[in-house]
Structure formats: structure tokens, C-alpha cells
Amino acid sequence: MIENLAEIELEQNGSKGRYVLRGPDGAEAEMTFTRVGEHRIIIDHTEVPDVFRGQGAGLRLVTRAVEDARVSGKKIIPLCPFANAQFRRHPEWADVLEG
């Protein structure tokens, strides 16, 4: 269950980064992004292994990116189809949506 997942970790390397949820069996759900300048990030890809499906892992990853963008004053360009769909479902995120 998702309650057993560790906290979301943020990994960054240069202009690339990812948010990761690790399950107890070592499986990883991830959302990758690219920083564009100082004030924008592009969400490139979200991948949720079957072991996490139906538990809200993908939504947790996108939500964390939204929260971090708010704190840092950044805008998000959701190129990933999953992230894009989440932005359409969550109009309260419009403040961080680049557009």
C-alpha cells in the first residue's frame, strides 16, 4: 500500500532531476523533469510500476513538484501526458502552470 512508501525523494544532476518513491521491495515510481532557466521546469515523464498502480503514487509525485514549484517561485510545463492530465484535473494548480 502507498502508506508503506517512503517519503518522496528529490534527486538532481545538473539541469535534470527526478522525484522518486521507493517501495519496500526496491521498486521505484518516478517523475523526471528538466530545469529551463531559473524559473521553469518541464515535467518530462512519469513512470509508475504495476506494484504501485491504483495507489495514487503518480499523483503524489506531481503534487510534490507543484508544492516545490510554489515554494521556489517556479512555473511548470507538463509535457508528460500523465502530469498534463493531472493539471487539467486540478485547477487549483493554475498558479504554477506555465501558460
Side-chain angles (χ1 to χ4, degrees):
M1 292 296 294
I2 198 154
E3 294 81 24
N4 296 331
L5 295 176
E7 288 300 307
I8 295 171
E9 297 176 31
L10 172 59
E11 299 175 353
Q12 298 183 77
N13 184 8
S15 65
K16 300 287 188 179
R18 71 181 190 143
Y19 289 95
V20 185
L21 273 171
R22 291 185 173 90
D25 62 351
E28 293 183 346
E30 72 170 359
M31 185 194 70
T32 62
F33 65 89
T34 302
R35 280 193 302 281
V36 181
E38 293 293 314
H39 303 290
R40 292 185 295 175
I41 67 166
I42 296 171
I43 296 177
D44 313 300
H45 179 70
T46 304
E47 184 168 342
V48 178
D50 288 340
V51 69
F52 295 128
R53 297 235 188 254
Q55 299 179 53
L59 177 58
R60 281 189 63 197
L61 293 167
V62 178
T63 300
R64 169 68 188 274
V66 168
E67 292 167 353
D68 287 356
R70 281 188 178 131
V71 169
S72 63
K74 293 184 178 167
K75 297 287 187 177
I76 296 175
I77 302 166
L79 292 184
C80 161
F82 176 80
N84 194 308
Q86 292 306 313
F87 269 88
R88 286 193 308 273
R89 289 185 185 117
H90 294 274
E92 69 274 18
W93 295 350
D95 61 312
V96 297
L97 181 62
E98 178 74 22

